[in-house]
Amino acid sequence: MEHNTLSRPGPSLSGTALKRIACLSMLIDHIGAALLENGLFRQNAVWQGGVRLDFVMRMAGRLAFPIYCFLLVEGFVHTHDFRKYALRMLGFALLSEFPFDWAFFSGVWWGHQNVYFTLLLGLLAMKALDTFRTGEGTPDARGILCAAACTGAAALLRCDYDVMGMALILALYLTRKDRAAQCIAGAVFTLFEPVAPLAFGLVWFYSGERGSCSRAEQWAFYWFYPVHLSVLAAAVALAFPG
């Protein structure tokens, strides 16, 4: 596995700082999606102020996924144990699916899978491109076909962000050795969502370092997704039964 760190002088953000920003952005987004859209609005309790608040919260949440995709690429490049990394992603994908369904759909819903599945498939696609290379070091046909198969799986499973999410991950991976190109590619591949390209203004200041992060906080970043979804799912079920 290659070890590539692109640092920059001046003000900077560590990987831990970016994760904290992404967690906050995601939490704001999911409060709007669960409590307002799947809660109040489904009960026909729609008012103009609530619609505006929901819009603001969902826009604030657009920063999260691009940052997570960037950090996934960094994690892949620097991991010492790909198998353990992939199995961890799979475990949290399975663990998160039930609270994901209940937070946003108030019941089991096979038509949309949580974002951990997207990130897992992105991880597998990067592994394929990294494993199957030509003599010049570029991905060969086998790697491209495997990455395409992972992208197709994201579409068939209807994973969060599906094909566009996979395209973003692969674009960030293929431009990983040039921060400017990576930020431009990231911004271009997130144009389908308002505000999302601004995430790469933050990525530009990435220091290339993990930053201060205890073992407990490292695990907390993984657990944050299923735990906060479980809380939101319980809140929706209690506040808006039926």
Side-chain angles (χ1 to χ4, degrees):
M1 195 70 63
E2 64 188 272
H3 292 271
N4 176 53
T5 299
L6 299 177
S7 59
R8 64 185 307 282
S12 63
L13 291 167
S14 67
T16 298
L18 286 174
K19 287 178 184 177
R20 290 169 179 165
I21 292 169
C23 282
L24 178 60
S25 171
M26 179 172 62
L27 177 61
I28 293 170
D29 179 50
H30 288 174
I31 290 173
L35 297 183
L36 293 178
E37 294 180 14
N38 189 42
L40 282 171
F41 296 171
R42 286 187 65 186
Q43 302 293 321
N44 294 319
V46 181
W47 75 104
Q48 195 60 37
V51 172
R52 291 197 193 97
L53 176 61
D54 180 60
F55 176 80
V56 171
M57 295 178 80
R58 299 308 303 275
M59 289 303 99
R62 297 309 90 200
L63 299 177
F65 183 69
I67 293 174
Y68 280 124
C69 289
F70 170 76
L71 293 172
L72 181 77
V73 173
E74 284 292 296
F76 172 73
V77 168
H78 293 95
T79 187
H80 297 291
D81 191 332
F82 173 81
R83 182 175 177 273
K84 186 180 291 185
Y85 190 18
L87 287 174
R88 188 184 307 136
M89 298 294 283
L90 174 60
F92 278 97
L94 296 172
L95 185 67
S96 301
E97 189 59 25
F98 184 78
F100 174 83
D101 286 350
W102 281 88
F104 302 131
F105 306 105
S106 294
V108 176
W109 174 245
W110 298 108
H112 199 156
Q113 318 313 320
N114 75 77
V115 77
Y116 261 123
F117 284 108
T118 313
L119 297 177
L120 172 62
L121 288 167
L123 194 62
L124 295 175
M126 287 189 288
K127 180 64 172 177
L129 294 179
D130 183 66
T131 301
F132 301 113
R133 299 188 184 192
T134 65
E136 292 74 34
T138 57
D140 68 13
R142 292 171 299 171
I144 294 170
L145 285 173
C146 288
C150 290
T151 302
L156 289 172
L157 293 172
R158 298 183 180 180
C159 298
D160 215 9
Y161 292 96
D162 53 67
V163 173
M164 294 305 298
M166 292 293 293
L168 173 60
I169 292 167
L170 293 175
L172 294 175
Y173 172 70
L174 293 172
T175 56
R176 66 196 179 281
K177 294 183 180 179
D178 185 328
R179 181 59 49 73
Q182 195 177 37
C183 288
I184 291 169
V188 168
F189 277 86
T190 52
L191 285 173
F192 66 96
E193 283 199 321
V195 179
L198 297 179
F200 293 96
L202 297 172
V203 167
W204 173 252
F205 290 98
Y206 174 56
S207 65
E209 304 294 332
R210 173 183 289 180
S212 179
C213 185
S214 68
R215 185 68 174 169
E217 187 174 16
Q218 290 176 39
W219 278 104
F221 286 129
Y222 282 101
W223 280 101
F224 183 79
Y225 188 73
V227 169
H228 90 276
L229 287 179
S230 297
V231 172
L232 289 174
V236 170
L238 290 171
F240 310 103

